[in-house]
Amino acid sequence: MSNLTNLSITAMLSGLGAKDFSARELVQAHVDAVEGARTLNSFITETPEAALAAADAADKAYADGTSGKLAGIPLGIKDNLATKGDRLTAASNILGEFKPPYESFVTNQLKQAGASILGKLNLDEFAMGVSNESSAFGPVVSPWRANGSDDKLVPGGSSGGSAAAVAARIVAGALGTDTGGSIRQPAALSGIVGLKPSYGRCSRWGAVALASSLDHIGPMARTVEDCALLLEVMAGFDANDSTSLDLPVPEWTANLSPDLKGKRVGIPSEYRADGINPEVVAAWDKAADWLRDAGAEIVEISLPHTDAALAAYYVISSAEASSNLSRYDGIRFGLRVQPENGNLDDIYYATRKAGFGPDARRRVLFGTLVLTADFFESHYVRAQKVRTLVIQDFTKAFEACDLLLTPTAPNAAFPLGASASQTDAYLNDMFTIPTSLAGLPAISVPAATNAQGLPLGLQLIGKPLDEQSVLNAGLALQQAAGFDALPERWW
Amino acid sequence: MAEAYLINGETGPFEVVIGLEIHAQVISKSKLFSGASTKFGGEPNSQVDFGDAALPGMLPVLNGECVRQAVRSGLALGAVINRRSQFDRKSYFYADLPTGYQISQFFYPIVGEALIDVELEDGEVVQVGLERIHLEQDAGKSVHDLSPNQSYVDLNRAGVALMEIVSKPDMRSPEQAAAYVSALRSILRAIGSCDGNMQEGSLRADVNVSVRRPGEGLGTRCEIKNVNSIRHIQQAIAYEAARHVEAIESGGTIDQETRLFDPDKGETRSLRSKEDAVDYRYFPDPDLPPLILTEEFIEECRQSLPELPRARRIRFEQELGLTPYLARVLTADIDQSDWFETLLNDTAKHQGKAPRDVAERTANWMTGELFGALNKLDLDISESPVSAAQGAELLALMADGTLSGPLAKQVFEIMLETGGNPGDIAEEHGLKQVSDTGALKETIAEVLTTHADKVADYRGGKAKLFGFFVGQVMKASGGKANPAVVNELLKEALAG
């Protein structure tokens, strides 16, 4: 890493303002870093020319005092968010060579603020997964390696490319999406900060929909302050998204403070499950002490329906996903496989068989099943009722506390190809899924490294719309943990 | 009360049970969930938003005008307005359905039950129950006849708002079904929520038909999809009911299925059997929050309603003194009733009389002369070459004696051709009625002289010859003689 790529966004902005370096230099250093890190496979599409053009525009803006909040900052965008004119893949073959003629709301916000976009980042196909191994463009390799080992590790998923790129210092920050934990879990496994805001805080217009009621877009960066700034820029009401919150964007950065006096932090007893790595538990206990030192009161609370939440999530997210993925049919855009003398149904079968990977197909089939007449009441409706109970759990818990402290993932990064069964993979989201069901703001902050030198992350969950408390507690955690481990460059 | 419509099978009579699902395209500038235009007849795929094409990442945004139109329609039909409703996804795969699902309302529709009075030809009123009205997206159009081995898809219509108006199975004859559709169409056109143009497809019907012996429970029904004219609806019902009766009487059963009506053959044929029935997997659309209507909004919708056809008909009967028949004919269609009121007011003004005093004459002229001419020319009232103002002038010329009935007819013919004013035409073509007694006396004298022998016969008792003399006088005057005056003068002259 050069001196220019191992800076926080805050530090970069400071440097640019002080003319320590130009935006062009800054972005060029990242373009070079991206090129040098191709073995990580974190990018699907690189856009260096556009990035440098944005850098030049930023330099002009700095010169005449019109620079935006992110002028010249090199970012990566998860490839399930549309950027105008760039190939959009969702890491699937079924989108073919599709290039959207529109810019998603969130990326437009970033560009308007002067950000420089380096390219589109790899992900699990259609954002389904916890290890970024299901991408049609090959798995992402984590920049982290266990001490004394050459084994390739996963960066987490589904925002694996985003996490790896930020951790490897080839982008200053990235956008990810989180449906069941896909920002937070990879952030934890890759030793960076990942923020999932409240549902509706960021517009989903232009984001490839997976599960409409569960999809969130959020920032991933190396510090809590950076995430706060990115969220401030990308959030806001969008009339084109009927689930977008019509509320002003709070000044999170200005109100950031690690002082937690008067705050109560709850520890959910049900999250102390078997199967959590003991080092994760140790970090969790340590963090409770840190937050106490920062002024918070630690309390035990209960989330009784935690067990049922996982199943409810998979039913609901699969149902919505099966519906949202119906539009990929080979008719109007993307891949079309046209069997000779085939009719409409033949196009559907051939295209979707060729275009969807096994995980996507499995999810669509299951989702379709739970919506059929035979299973609708027993599965879909029931899952929605459980969802209400999960929400009520949190509402009740938040009477006794203002924040929850939990592990983000039950383990550190694991080797590529190691996810034994589907259910094991699902367990990786056990701590993050309930918050997605409830649409609560949550952040993952790197807290420690394990015995093998791999990062461990912890999660803070807040009340609806209370990103400020979440960010503040995250900052307290960040300062107390003093996490300064860097992946040693092997690429 | 009219006799019940029955199909007389070999083993006895059968009743027919009919329910209708009407799809009415909502009048709105843009689509139900997108800003693309709803104009009919545009170049293929020229009115398609990214969302209509279901491109990745696109989302639906509800068009408030469509909600307003649905509520107005519900109010006009006297239906329950549901303060809370929601949108659901109805899933199936077809090339003209880009998202792979139609956004509709399955669980909680925007409008609930109503009871609609439907008047039949003979004046009998039957009540047809309305089950519900809900909003949903229309699909695009598949075009199969442009190429022998390829089909094309035009998405202009994809996403246009439809009101699905579901009746209860209360109709018992093709006539009742036709009257119900007419009544519905008339009301929707009157309030401007749907133009009811069945040829263009703005109003389509799915017809549910079953039969049963009187007193039995409901038989198995079949659904005939997308019938697009009232005449076809009647034909389809008649054919389908007969088909059911035949099947039952020959010892078979009716399979519940979806069918299509072939207007060329006058038959229905199977489209899809129950086994192939699609499971639409309805579930609430997670991209759209529930729809909540305020009392203020509903009241605004109510205030915006014009006089409805039934109220207008009653007013025509009671305030204008029109016969029930004339009142019904003139209020069947909003364009015609508006035209009539303009004509009536102008006519009354021209003649310095109250509308009630000229109403019957005016109504008779419009339904007789004008409608007759428009039918012959195959024109709508909106395309009439004669304006209401011109019609009023014509009626005034008849009332003040300038034109006799026959002369007025001649003038009207010329008005239809040239679009000119009746006064000018009468002037130009010298078609004014001659009422001048002096001139007429002369003409009469000439006629009686020419036909002196017939005069003798008449005076001898052949009273029928009076008509002959009238005819001769009219002929001699080139048809312009005032018949009433001629009558009087002729009587005098013949009396000797």
Side-chain angles (χ1 to χ4, degrees):
Chain A
M1 292 133 208
S2 78
N3 3 359
L4 288 182
T5 58
N6 192 20
L7 296 172
S8 68
I9 295 176
T10 314
M12 286 178 189
L13 287 166
S14 194
L16 286 165
K19 297 196 185 8
D20 295 343
F21 42 82
S22 68
R24 175 114 202 168
E25 285 173 300
L26 181 64
V27 172
Q28 186 64 59
H30 285 82
V31 167
D32 296 339
V34 165
E35 223 181 280
R38 286 198 180 128
T39 187
L40 300 180
N41 200 30
S42 58
F43 276 87
I44 293 177
T45 303
E46 294 170 20
T47 56
E49 277 136 32
L52 290 166
D56 290 339
D59 280 329
K60 272 208 194 76
Y62 278 116
D64 61 29
T66 60
S67 57
K69 268 172 148 172
L70 293 174
I73 302 300
L75 303 173
I77 307 296
K78 186 175 182 181
D79 201 15
N80 62 353
L81 299 167
T83 50
K84 191 170 182 179
D86 300 324
R87 188 182 181 194
L88 175 69
T89 69
S92 177
N93 283 319
I94 208 162
L95 271 142
E97 297 294 324
F98 176 70
K99 290 191 172 130
Y102 43 86
E103 182 83 37
S104 36
F105 181 89
V106 291
T107 56
N108 188 52
Q109 299 282 87
L110 296 177
K111 287 182 178 179
Q112 292 295 319
S116 166
I117 308 300
L118 291 167
K120 307 304 291 298
L121 294 164
N122 206 346
L123 61 152
D124 274 303
E125 184 179 7
F126 278 106
M128 302 183 218
V130 297
S131 62
N132 213 141
E133 293 176 283
S134 67
S135 166
F137 297 84
V140 172
V141 182
S142 174
W144 294 91
R145 278 187 170 168
N147 291 339
S149 165
D150 279 345
D151 284 351
K152 291 185 179 161
L153 302 178
V154 302
S158 63
S159 310
S162 305
V166 171
R169 272 77 178 157
I170 64 177
V171 299
L175 290 194
T177 64
D178 189 311
T179 303
S182 292
I183 285 177
R184 295 162 283 161
Q185 184 258 21
L189 266 54
S190 300
I192 62 167
V193 181
L195 174 63
K196 183 197 83 58
S198 308
Y199 182 80
R201 187 64 89 176
C202 294
S203 165
R204 293 183 296 114
W205 194 84
V208 175
L210 172 62
S212 315
S213 74
L214 294 158
D215 288 343
H216 303 69
I217 306 166
M220 301 170 77
R222 295 187 285 272
T223 69
V224 171
E225 297 95 323
D226 287 355
C227 280
L229 177 61
L230 287 171
L231 187 64
E232 245 174 54
V233 174
M234 56 194 273
F237 172 64
D238 181 11
N240 285 323
D241 175 354
S242 302
T243 61
S244 173
L245 290 171
D246 193 358
L247 295 168
V249 178
E251 292 179 348
W252 293 304
T253 320
N255 293 306
L256 257 185
S257 160
D259 181 0
L260 300 183
K261 242 186 308 275
K263 293 290 184 191
R264 300 156 299 168
V265 175
I267 311 284
S269 45
E270 290 80 3
Y271 281 38
R272 279 186 187 281
D274 298 329
I276 312 178
N277 187 288
E279 288 171 292
V280 172
V281 178
W284 187 9
D285 290 337
K286 197 90 199 279
D289 291 336
W290 290 335
L291 294 180
R292 202 178 281 116
D293 293 340
E297 183 196 336
I298 309 296
V299 297
E300 277 265 325
I301 55 103
S302 174
L303 298 172
H305 296 92
T306 299
D307 262 349
L310 217 64
Y313 168 80
Y314 276 104
V315 168
I316 297 169
S317 67
S318 303
E320 292 182 6
S322 73
S323 180
N324 287 330
L325 266 55
S326 319
R327 64 186 62 192
Y328 304 105
D329 56 11
I331 303 300
R332 298 166 310 291
F333 59 87
L335 178 74
R336 177 192 284 204
V337 179
Q338 177 119 34
E340 208 175 312
N341 299 321
N343 62 15
L344 184 63
D345 282 348
D346 296 325
I347 296 178
Y348 288 149
Y349 286 133
T351 302
R352 287 164 70 85
K353 185 163 187 208
F356 285 141
D359 284 322
R361 260 185 273 140
R362 193 178 300 119
R363 195 75 77 90
V364 168
L365 285 170
F366 179 64
T368 307
L369 182 73
V370 300
L371 289 174
T372 57
D374 287 342
F375 293 98
F376 182 70
E377 285 293 330
S378 61
H379 283 61
Y380 180 81
V381 175
R382 203 142 191 210
Q384 289 286 24
K385 291 180 177 178
V386 169
R387 184 176 193 170
T388 302
L389 293 174
V390 168
I391 294 170
Q392 286 175 355
D393 275 1
F394 281 110
T395 309
K396 188 145 201 294
F398 282 131
E399 286 167 17
C401 64
D402 309 294
L403 291 154
L404 300 173
L405 173 69
T406 79
T408 308
N411 41 248
F414 44 88
L416 247 61
S419 333
S421 74
Q422 290 302 316
T423 34
D424 277 355
Y426 295 162
L427 283 174
N428 251 258
D429 278 339
M430 61 189 286
F431 300 123
T432 51
I433 274 172
T435 19
S436 287
L437 284 173
L440 301 170
I443 197 170
S444 180
V445 179
T449 47
N450 67 4
Q452 297 171 296
L454 295 173
L456 301 171
L458 291 172
Q459 174 179 232
L460 288 151
I461 304 166
K463 294 177 180 174
L465 306 178
D466 193 9
E467 284 86 353
Q468 192 69 65
S469 298
V470 168
L471 287 162
N472 288 350
L475 184 61
L477 201 54
Q478 174 182 284
Q479 289 181 348
F483 182 90
D484 57 3
L486 283 177
E488 222 180 281
R489 183 166 179 167
W490 53 265
W491 60 90
Chain B
M1 164 133 167
E3 262 178 48
Y5 174 89
L6 293 169
I7 295 187
N8 290 313
E10 283 171 28
T11 62
F14 285 84
E15 255 180 17
V16 186
V17 177
I18 302 151
L20 293 175
E21 286 160 24
I22 307 282
H23 292 90
Q25 240 175 50
V26 174
I27 293 177
S28 64
K29 289 215 184 80
S30 49
K31 299 181 178 181
L32 184 54
F33 293 106
S34 88
S37 166
T38 56
K39 260 210 213 113
F40 179 81
E43 276 297 300
N45 294 313
S46 64
Q47 293 166 213
V48 184
D49 266 11
F50 296 143
D52 300 326
L55 296 186
M58 294 298 101
L59 296 168
V61 180
L62 181 60
N63 181 348
E65 178 61 17
C66 301
V67 175
R68 206 180 76 95
Q69 291 287 46
V71 173
R72 292 176 77 243
S73 303
L75 290 169
L77 293 168
V80 173
I81 306 297
N82 291 322
R83 272 48 174 173
R84 189 178 200 278
S85 64
Q86 80 185 23
F87 290 98
D88 307 303
R89 294 188 184 178
K90 176 181 182 181
S91 302
Y92 61 93
F93 281 96
Y94 201 59
D96 61 18
L97 189 68
T99 21
Y101 58 85
Q102 174 197 39
I103 303 181
S104 177
Q105 295 186 299
F106 181 72
F107 298 103
Y108 299 101
I110 188 170
V111 172
E113 294 185 328
L115 215 48
I116 301 179
D117 287 331
V118 173
E119 202 174 310
L120 305 178
E121 281 290 317
D122 61 6
E124 181 197 349
V125 173
V126 296
Q127 285 198 319
V128 177
L130 187 79
E131 183 71 53
R132 53 187 265 158
I133 302 178
H134 66 255
L135 282 167
E136 62 180 26
Q137 295 175 306
D138 205 347
K141 270 206 196 104
S142 292
V143 181
H144 303 294
D145 53 9
L146 277 182
S147 150
N149 48 20
Q150 284 192 311
S151 289
Y152 292 80
V153 181
D154 175 10
L155 294 178
N156 282 355
R157 205 184 60 183
V160 170
L162 292 176
M163 289 180 288
E164 181 167 329
I165 305 170
V166 183
S167 82
K168 297 195 175 166
D170 288 351
M171 288 158 277
R172 296 287 175 269
S173 71
E175 191 205 354
Q176 287 183 13
Y180 168 77
V181 177
S182 290
L184 214 57
R185 187 177 170 275
S186 164
I187 291 170
L188 297 179
R189 278 172 54 76
I191 69 172
S193 69
C194 174
D195 70 17
N197 187 329
M198 295 186 85
Q199 286 110 311
E200 284 180 3
S202 348
L203 196 77
R204 328 193 273 261
D206 289 346
V207 186
N208 292 289
V209 180
S210 68
V211 300
R212 64 181 176 194
R213 295 185 204 277
E216 274 183 0
L218 291 172
T220 307
R221 68 175 166 88
C222 288
E223 182 189 26
I224 308 163
K225 285 201 83 64
N226 284 332
V227 188
N228 61 5
S229 87
I230 293 181
R231 202 166 60 90
H232 291 166
I233 291 172
Q234 292 176 281
Q235 289 174 335
I237 292 169
Y239 176 85
E240 188 62 16
R243 187 181 76 86
H244 285 212
V245 169
E246 221 236 286
I248 292 169
E249 292 197 317
S250 58
T253 49
I254 287 291
D255 294 323
Q256 184 184 331
E257 55 180 9
T258 303
R259 300 175 71 85
L260 282 180
F261 178 68
D262 183 339
D264 298 323
K265 292 194 183 134
E267 297 172 357
T268 64
R269 67 168 196 281
S270 183
L271 175 68
R272 196 165 55 226
S273 74
K274 193 179 182 186
E275 285 75 41
D276 301 333
V278 184
D279 181 345
Y280 292 115
R281 307 194 300 284
Y282 291 99
F283 75 104
D285 193 325
D287 285 328
L288 295 161
L291 178 61
I292 314 285
L293 304 175
T294 62
E295 298 306 318
E296 289 80 27
F297 176 78
I298 295 172
E299 190 50 38
E300 265 171 46
C301 291
R302 196 189 305 274
Q303 297 292 343
S304 80
L305 294 177
E307 186 184 33
L308 295 176
R310 192 132 194 272
R312 204 170 206 177
R313 209 195 64 207
I314 292 171
R315 178 165 64 82
F316 281 8
E317 283 183 41
Q318 293 178 354
E319 286 177 25
L320 298 178
L322 291 182
T323 61
Y325 170 76
L326 279 176
R328 184 148 56 88
V329 170
L330 288 170
T331 55
D333 179 87
I334 178 115
D335 288 339
Q336 288 174 351
S337 36
D338 284 347
W339 209 96
F340 171 71
E341 295 225 57
T342 311
L343 174 69
L344 180 66
N345 289 329
D346 279 359
T347 301
K349 221 182 281 169
H350 261 285
Q351 301 180 30
K353 296 206 178 117
R356 195 200 169 87
D357 296 334
V358 296
E360 193 172 337
R361 271 249 170 105
T362 310
N364 279 324
W365 177 82
M366 184 168 169
T367 56
E369 297 297 312
L370 181 67
F371 281 6
L374 291 177
N375 277 336
K376 224 186 271 172
L377 295 168
D378 197 21
L379 294 173
D380 271 335
I381 191 79
S382 55
E383 301 160 305
S384 168
V386 172
S387 73
Q390 291 169 329
E393 204 192 315
L394 183 66
L395 286 166
L397 291 174
M398 284 196 274
D400 73 12
T402 311
L403 294 174
S404 64
L407 282 175
K409 277 198 171 82
Q410 283 182 54
V411 170
F412 183 55
E413 285 299 313
I414 301 170
M415 282 165 75
L416 287 169
E417 264 169 58
T418 66
N421 292 327
D424 300 335
I425 292 170
E427 210 47 69
E428 275 171 44
H429 297 256
L431 289 172
K432 285 189 176 165
Q433 186 165 239
V434 177
S435 305
D436 175 4
T437 34
L440 285 175
K441 272 189 183 157
E442 274 182 42
T443 313
I444 288 173
E446 278 173 37
V447 167
L448 293 185
T449 311
T450 313
H451 300 281
D453 53 337
K454 293 237 168 52
V455 174
D457 289 341
Y458 176 80
R459 284 182 181 147
K462 286 212 177 126
K464 268 194 194 154
L465 285 171
F466 189 80
F468 169 77
F469 295 123
V470 171
Q472 289 301 304
V473 172
M474 293 305 286
K475 208 166 114 187
S477 72
K480 293 185 219 163
N482 183 328
V485 177
V486 166
N487 255 293
E488 239 188 83
L489 296 178
L490 202 49
K491 264 202 204 105
E492 276 174 34
L494 285 168

